PDB file of all heavy atoms in Angstrom:
ATOM      1  N   ILE B 135      98.282  72.911 104.552  1.00 98.00           N
ATOM      2  CA  ILE B 135      98.207  72.039 103.366  1.00 98.00           C
ATOM      3  C   ILE B 135      96.867  72.192 102.640  1.00 98.00           C
ATOM      4  O   ILE B 135      96.748  71.862 101.452  1.00 98.00           O
ATOM      5  CB  ILE B 135      98.455  70.556 103.772  1.00 98.00           C
ATOM      6  CG1 ILE B 135      98.806  69.678 102.558  1.00 98.00           C
ATOM      7  CG2 ILE B 135      97.258  69.959 104.515  1.00 98.00           C
ATOM      8  CD1 ILE B 135     100.167  69.880 102.004  1.00 98.00           C
ATOM      9  N   LYS B 136      95.867  72.705 103.365  1.00 98.00           N
ATOM     10  CA  LYS B 136      94.513  72.829 102.794  1.00 98.00           C
ATOM     11  C   LYS B 136      94.537  73.657 101.495  1.00 98.00           C
ATOM     12  O   LYS B 136      95.090  74.760 101.462  1.00 98.00           O
ATOM     13  CB  LYS B 136      93.597  73.504 103.827  1.00 98.00           C
ATOM     14  CG  LYS B 136      92.160  73.391 103.471  1.00 98.00           C
ATOM     15  CD  LYS B 136      91.275  73.771 104.625  1.00 98.00           C
ATOM     16  CE  LYS B 136      89.860  73.581 104.144  1.00 98.00           C
ATOM     17  NZ  LYS B 136      88.877  74.212 104.852  1.00 98.00           N
ATOM     18  N   GLY B 137      93.964  73.090 100.447  1.00 98.00           N
ATOM     19  CA  GLY B 137      93.851  73.817  99.178  1.00 98.00           C
ATOM     20  C   GLY B 137      95.124  73.829  98.347  1.00 98.00           C
ATOM     21  O   GLY B 137      95.176  74.473  97.297  1.00 98.00           O
ATOM     22  N   LYS B 138      96.158  73.131  98.789  1.00 98.00           N
ATOM     23  CA  LYS B 138      97.458  73.209  98.113  1.00 98.00           C
ATOM     24  C   LYS B 138      97.690  72.024  97.163  1.00 98.00           C
ATOM     25  O   LYS B 138      97.078  70.964  97.289  1.00 98.00           O
ATOM     26  CB  LYS B 138      98.589  73.222  99.146  1.00 98.00           C
ATOM     27  CG  LYS B 138      98.497  74.340 100.169  1.00 98.00           C
ATOM     28  CD  LYS B 138      98.603  75.715  99.545  1.00 98.00           C
ATOM     29  CE  LYS B 138      98.833  76.820 100.560  1.00 98.00           C
ATOM     30  NZ  LYS B 138      97.864  76.877 101.647  1.00 98.00           N
ATOM     31  N   ILE B 139      98.611  72.244  96.219  1.00 98.00           N
ATOM     32  CA  ILE B 139      99.064  71.178  95.319  1.00 98.00           C
ATOM     33  C   ILE B 139     100.419  70.671  95.827  1.00 98.00           C
ATOM     34  O   ILE B 139     101.334  71.480  96.053  1.00 98.00           O
ATOM     35  CB  ILE B 139      99.215  71.697  93.874  1.00 98.00           C
ATOM     36  CG1 ILE B 139      97.872  72.226  93.350  1.00 98.00           C
ATOM     37  CG2 ILE B 139      99.765  70.600  92.960  1.00 98.00           C
ATOM     38  CD1 ILE B 139      97.948  72.837  91.954  1.00 98.00           C
ATOM     39  N   MET B 140     100.514  69.363  96.012  1.00 98.00           N
ATOM     40  CA  MET B 140     101.771  68.776  96.512  1.00 98.00           C
ATOM     41  C   MET B 140     102.304  67.746  95.532  1.00 98.00           C
ATOM     42  O   MET B 140     101.570  66.851  95.106  1.00 98.00           O
ATOM     43  CB  MET B 140     101.554  68.116  97.874  1.00 98.00           C
ATOM     44  CG  MET B 140     102.772  67.306  98.360  1.00 98.00           C
ATOM     45  SD  MET B 140     102.766  66.936 100.128  1.00 98.00           S
ATOM     46  CE  MET B 140     101.412  65.779 100.227  1.00 98.00           C
ATOM     47  N   THR B 141     103.578  67.841  95.209  1.00 98.00           N
ATOM     48  CA  THR B 141     104.284  66.756  94.528  1.00 98.00           C
ATOM     49  C   THR B 141     104.984  65.945  95.613  1.00 98.00           C
ATOM     50  O   THR B 141     105.662  66.521  96.470  1.00 98.00           O
ATOM     51  CB  THR B 141     105.316  67.304  93.521  1.00 98.00           C
ATOM     52  OG1 THR B 141     104.617  68.012  92.497  1.00 98.00           O
ATOM     53  CG2 THR B 141     106.133  66.184  92.893  1.00 98.00           C
ATOM     54  N   LEU B 142     104.797  64.631  95.560  1.00 98.00           N
ATOM     55  CA  LEU B 142     105.317  63.760  96.629  1.00 98.00           C
ATOM     56  C   LEU B 142     106.092  62.611  96.018  1.00 98.00           C
ATOM     57  O   LEU B 142     105.556  61.872  95.181  1.00 98.00           O
ATOM     58  CB  LEU B 142     104.128  63.223  97.442  1.00 98.00           C
ATOM     59  CG  LEU B 142     104.405  62.172  98.515  1.00 98.00           C
ATOM     60  CD1 LEU B 142     105.245  62.752  99.650  1.00 98.00           C
ATOM     61  CD2 LEU B 142     103.085  61.620  99.076  1.00 98.00           C
ATOM     62  N   THR B 143     107.350  62.459  96.401  1.00 98.00           N
ATOM     63  CA  THR B 143     108.094  61.268  95.990  1.00 98.00           C
ATOM     64  C   THR B 143     108.139  60.297  97.159  1.00 98.00           C
ATOM     65  O   THR B 143     108.330  60.699  98.308  1.00 98.00           O
ATOM     66  CB  THR B 143     109.527  61.617  95.527  1.00 98.00           C
ATOM     67  OG1 THR B 143     110.069  62.644  96.341  1.00 98.00           O
ATOM     68  CG2 THR B 143     109.523  62.077  94.076  1.00 98.00           C
ATOM     69  N   GLY B 144     107.945  59.000  96.842  1.00 98.00           N
ATOM     70  CA  GLY B 144     107.918  57.969  97.864  1.00 98.00           C
ATOM     71  C   GLY B 144     106.548  57.342  97.944  1.00 98.00           C
ATOM     72  O   GLY B 144     105.541  57.954  97.557  1.00 98.00           O
ATOM     73  N   ALA B 145     106.527  56.114  98.452  1.00 97.00           N
ATOM     74  CA  ALA B 145     105.264  55.387  98.567  1.00 97.00           C
ATOM     75  C   ALA B 145     105.317  54.402  99.725  1.00 97.00           C
ATOM     76  O   ALA B 145     104.510  53.500  99.811  1.00 97.00           O
ATOM     77  CB  ALA B 145     104.989  54.646  97.262  1.00 97.00           C
ATOM     78  N   GLY B 146     106.291  54.601 100.620  1.00 96.00           N
ATOM     79  CA  GLY B 146     106.494  53.639 101.697  1.00 96.00           C
ATOM     80  C   GLY B 146     105.898  54.104 103.018  1.00 96.00           C
ATOM     81  O   GLY B 146     104.867  54.784 103.065  1.00 96.00           O
ATOM     82  N   GLY B 147     106.577  53.717 104.104  1.00 96.00           N
ATOM     83  CA  GLY B 147     106.084  53.955 105.461  1.00 96.00           C
ATOM     84  C   GLY B 147     105.889  55.411 105.809  1.00 96.00           C
ATOM     85  O   GLY B 147     105.021  55.743 106.630  1.00 96.00           O
ATOM     86  N   ALA B 148     106.659  56.312 105.222  1.00 97.00           N
ATOM     87  CA  ALA B 148     106.502  57.748 105.502  1.00 97.00           C
ATOM     88  C   ALA B 148     105.546  58.402 104.506  1.00 97.00           C
ATOM     89  O   ALA B 148     104.650  59.169 104.891  1.00 97.00           O
ATOM     90  CB  ALA B 148     107.859  58.444 105.446  1.00 97.00           C
ATOM     91  N   ALA B 149     105.715  58.077 103.222  1.00 98.00           N
ATOM     92  CA  ALA B 149     104.921  58.753 102.183  1.00 98.00           C
ATOM     93  C   ALA B 149     103.431  58.439 102.295  1.00 98.00           C
ATOM     94  O   ALA B 149     102.582  59.311 102.051  1.00 98.00           O
ATOM     95  CB  ALA B 149     105.437  58.354 100.799  1.00 98.00           C
ATOM     96  N   THR B 150     103.099  57.198 102.662  1.00 98.00           N
ATOM     97  CA  THR B 150     101.681  56.809 102.698  1.00 98.00           C
ATOM     98  C   THR B 150     100.887  57.662 103.701  1.00 98.00           C
ATOM     99  O   THR B 150      99.885  58.287 103.319  1.00 98.00           O
ATOM    100  CB  THR B 150     101.538  55.299 102.990  1.00 98.00           C
ATOM    101  OG1 THR B 150     102.281  54.582 101.998  1.00 98.00           O
ATOM    102  CG2 THR B 150     100.090  54.859 102.961  1.00 98.00           C
ATOM    103  N   PRO B 151     101.303  57.747 104.971  1.00 98.00           N
ATOM    104  CA  PRO B 151     100.537  58.621 105.887  1.00 98.00           C
ATOM    105  C   PRO B 151     100.613  60.100 105.526  1.00 98.00           C
ATOM    106  O   PRO B 151      99.663  60.837 105.790  1.00 98.00           O
ATOM    107  CB  PRO B 151     101.156  58.351 107.260  1.00 98.00           C
ATOM    108  CG  PRO B 151     102.450  57.670 107.021  1.00 98.00           C
ATOM    109  CD  PRO B 151     102.338  56.980 105.698  1.00 98.00           C
ATOM    110  N   ILE B 152     101.709  60.525 104.905  1.00 98.00           N
ATOM    111  CA  ILE B 152     101.803  61.932 104.476  1.00 98.00           C
ATOM    112  C   ILE B 152     100.714  62.212 103.433  1.00 98.00           C
ATOM    113  O   ILE B 152      99.986  63.204 103.517  1.00 98.00           O
ATOM    114  CB  ILE B 152     103.216  62.239 103.911  1.00 98.00           C
ATOM    115  CG1 ILE B 152     104.220  62.363 105.065  1.00 98.00           C
ATOM    116  CG2 ILE B 152     103.213  63.518 103.062  1.00 98.00           C
ATOM    117  CD1 ILE B 152     105.670  62.505 104.624  1.00 98.00           C
ATOM    118  N   ALA B 153     100.606  61.309 102.444  1.00 98.00           N
ATOM    119  CA  ALA B 153      99.597  61.512 101.396  1.00 98.00           C
ATOM    120  C   ALA B 153      98.190  61.439 101.986  1.00 98.00           C
ATOM    121  O   ALA B 153      97.346  62.310 101.715  1.00 98.00           O
ATOM    122  CB  ALA B 153      99.778  60.451 100.305  1.00 98.00           C
ATOM    123  N   VAL B 154      97.946  60.422 102.800  1.00 98.00           N
ATOM    124  CA  VAL B 154      96.597  60.208 103.347  1.00 98.00           C
ATOM    125  C   VAL B 154      96.169  61.380 104.244  1.00 98.00           C
ATOM    126  O   VAL B 154      95.071  61.930 104.094  1.00 98.00           O
ATOM    127  CB  VAL B 154      96.551  58.866 104.120  1.00 98.00           C
ATOM    128  CG1 VAL B 154      95.356  58.796 105.050  1.00 98.00           C
ATOM    129  CG2 VAL B 154      96.535  57.702 103.145  1.00 98.00           C
ATOM    130  N   GLN B 155      97.044  61.786 105.167  1.00 98.00           N
ATOM    131  CA  GLN B 155      96.651  62.869 106.089  1.00 98.00           C
ATOM    132  C   GLN B 155      96.508  64.196 105.340  1.00 98.00           C
ATOM    133  O   GLN B 155      95.605  64.988 105.642  1.00 98.00           O
ATOM    134  CB  GLN B 155      97.686  62.999 107.220  1.00 98.00           C
ATOM    135  CG  GLN B 155      97.193  63.844 108.388  1.00 98.00           C
ATOM    136  CD  GLN B 155      96.008  63.204 109.106  1.00 98.00           C
ATOM    137  OE1 GLN B 155      96.023  62.015 109.372  1.00 98.00           O
ATOM    138  NE2 GLN B 155      94.958  63.989 109.393  1.00 98.00           N
ATOM    139  N   SER B 156      97.360  64.431 104.359  1.00 98.00           N
ATOM    140  CA  SER B 156      97.253  65.675 103.584  1.00 98.00           C
ATOM    141  C   SER B 156      95.916  65.712 102.854  1.00 98.00           C
ATOM    142  O   SER B 156      95.243  66.750 102.812  1.00 98.00           O
ATOM    143  CB  SER B 156      98.407  65.781 102.577  1.00 98.00           C
ATOM    144  OG  SER B 156      99.633  65.831 103.261  1.00 98.00           O
ATOM    145  N   ALA B 157      95.516  64.563 102.290  1.00 98.00           N
ATOM    146  CA  ALA B 157      94.224  64.487 101.596  1.00 98.00           C
ATOM    147  C   ALA B 157      93.081  64.693 102.589  1.00 98.00           C
ATOM    148  O   ALA B 157      92.139  65.446 102.326  1.00 98.00           O
ATOM    149  CB  ALA B 157      94.091  63.146 100.886  1.00 98.00           C
ATOM    150  N   LEU B 158      93.169  64.031 103.752  1.00 98.00           N
ATOM    151  CA  LEU B 158      92.116  64.185 104.772  1.00 98.00           C
ATOM    152  C   LEU B 158      92.027  65.637 105.256  1.00 98.00           C
ATOM    153  O   LEU B 158      90.957  66.120 105.611  1.00 98.00           O
ATOM    154  CB  LEU B 158      92.387  63.264 105.973  1.00 98.00           C
ATOM    155  CG  LEU B 158      92.112  61.773 105.763  1.00 98.00           C
ATOM    156  CD1 LEU B 158      92.634  60.951 106.942  1.00 98.00           C
ATOM    157  CD2 LEU B 158      90.613  61.511 105.565  1.00 98.00           C
ATOM    158  N   ASP B 159      93.177  66.324 105.272  1.00 98.00           N
ATOM    159  CA  ASP B 159      93.194  67.705 105.764  1.00 98.00           C
ATOM    160  C   ASP B 159      92.981  68.734 104.653  1.00 98.00           C
ATOM    161  O   ASP B 159      93.245  69.916 104.839  1.00 98.00           O
ATOM    162  CB  ASP B 159      94.498  67.981 106.525  1.00 98.00           C
ATOM    163  CG  ASP B 159      94.522  67.270 107.876  1.00 98.00           C
ATOM    164  OD1 ASP B 159      93.460  66.769 108.301  1.00 98.00           O
ATOM    165  OD2 ASP B 159      95.591  67.201 108.507  1.00 98.00           O
ATOM    166  N   GLY B 160      92.526  68.278 103.493  1.00 98.00           N
ATOM    167  CA  GLY B 160      92.038  69.224 102.491  1.00 98.00           C
ATOM    168  C   GLY B 160      93.007  69.631 101.401  1.00 98.00           C
ATOM    169  O   GLY B 160      92.753  70.609 100.689  1.00 98.00           O
ATOM    170  N   ALA B 161      94.118  68.887 101.230  1.00 98.00           N
ATOM    171  CA  ALA B 161      95.001  69.202 100.087  1.00 98.00           C
ATOM    172  C   ALA B 161      94.166  69.138  98.808  1.00 98.00           C
ATOM    173  O   ALA B 161      93.299  68.277  98.661  1.00 98.00           O
ATOM    174  CB  ALA B 161      96.155  68.207 100.020  1.00 98.00           C
ATOM    175  N   LYS B 162      94.453  70.065  97.877  1.00 98.00           N
ATOM    176  CA  LYS B 162      93.659  70.103  96.642  1.00 98.00           C
ATOM    177  C   LYS B 162      94.079  68.980  95.698  1.00 98.00           C
ATOM    178  O   LYS B 162      93.256  68.333  95.069  1.00 98.00           O
ATOM    179  CB  LYS B 162      93.892  71.466  95.979  1.00 98.00           C
ATOM    180  CG  LYS B 162      93.131  71.710  94.712  1.00 98.00           C
ATOM    181  CD  LYS B 162      93.422  73.137  94.260  1.00 98.00           C
ATOM    182  CE  LYS B 162      93.140  73.331  92.800  1.00 98.00           C
ATOM    183  NZ  LYS B 162      93.714  74.604  92.330  1.00 98.00           N
ATOM    184  N   GLU B 163      95.391  68.763  95.626  1.00 98.00           N
ATOM    185  CA  GLU B 163      95.894  67.774  94.665  1.00 98.00           C
ATOM    186  C   GLU B 163      97.216  67.191  95.167  1.00 98.00           C
ATOM    187  O   GLU B 163      98.065  67.928  95.673  1.00 98.00           O
ATOM    188  CB  GLU B 163      96.107  68.468  93.314  1.00 98.00           C
ATOM    189  CG  GLU B 163      96.406  67.496  92.212  1.00 98.00           C
ATOM    190  CD  GLU B 163      96.465  68.181  90.830  1.00 98.00           C
ATOM    191  OE1 GLU B 163      95.936  69.299  90.673  1.00 98.00           O
ATOM    192  OE2 GLU B 163      97.057  67.561  89.931  1.00 98.00           O
ATOM    193  N   ILE B 164      97.361  65.887  95.024  1.00 98.00           N
ATOM    194  CA  ILE B 164      98.631  65.234  95.369  1.00 98.00           C
ATOM    195  C   ILE B 164      99.106  64.461  94.145  1.00 98.00           C
ATOM    196  O   ILE B 164      98.376  63.626  93.601  1.00 98.00           O
ATOM    197  CB  ILE B 164      98.474  64.276  96.576  1.00 98.00           C
ATOM    198  CG1 ILE B 164      97.994  65.041  97.804  1.00 98.00           C
ATOM    199  CG2 ILE B 164      99.801  63.572  96.871  1.00 98.00           C
ATOM    200  CD1 ILE B 164      97.628  64.159  98.993  1.00 98.00           C
ATOM    201  N   ARG B 165     100.312  64.781  93.709  1.00 98.00           N
ATOM    202  CA  ARG B 165     100.892  64.103  92.548  1.00 98.00           C
ATOM    203  C   ARG B 165     102.032  63.229  93.057  1.00 98.00           C
ATOM    204  O   ARG B 165     103.094  63.742  93.432  1.00 98.00           O
ATOM    205  CB  ARG B 165     101.395  65.131  91.552  1.00 98.00           C
ATOM    206  CG  ARG B 165     100.289  66.081  91.092  1.00 98.00           C
ATOM    207  CD  ARG B 165     100.857  67.221  90.305  1.00 98.00           C
ATOM    208  NE  ARG B 165      99.823  68.124  89.839  1.00 98.00           N
ATOM    209  CZ  ARG B 165     100.042  69.168  89.051  1.00 98.00           C
ATOM    210  NH1 ARG B 165     101.270  69.434  88.643  1.00 98.00           N
ATOM    211  NH2 ARG B 165      99.056  69.950  88.668  1.00 98.00           N
ATOM    212  N   MET B 166     101.787  61.927  93.094  1.00 98.00           N
ATOM    213  CA  MET B 166     102.791  61.001  93.614  1.00 98.00           C
ATOM    214  C   MET B 166     103.688  60.503  92.483  1.00 98.00           C
ATOM    215  O   MET B 166     103.202  60.186  91.397  1.00 98.00           O
ATOM    216  CB  MET B 166     102.103  59.800  94.290  1.00 98.00           C
ATOM    217  CG  MET B 166     101.328  60.173  95.536  1.00 98.00           C
ATOM    218  SD  MET B 166     100.485  58.751  96.281  1.00 98.00           S
ATOM    219  CE  MET B 166     101.865  57.770  96.840  1.00 98.00           C
TER     220      MET B 166
END
Side-chain angles (χ1 to χ4, degrees):
I135 197 73
K136 193 167 181 198
K138 303 297 193 306
I139 300 176
M140 172 162 69
T141 296
L142 173 66
T143 38
T150 304
I152 284 173
V154 162
Q155 194 65 45
S156 298
L158 286 171
D159 288 348
K162 182 176 159 193
E163 189 174 341
I164 300 172
R165 302 170 179 184
M166 294 178 67

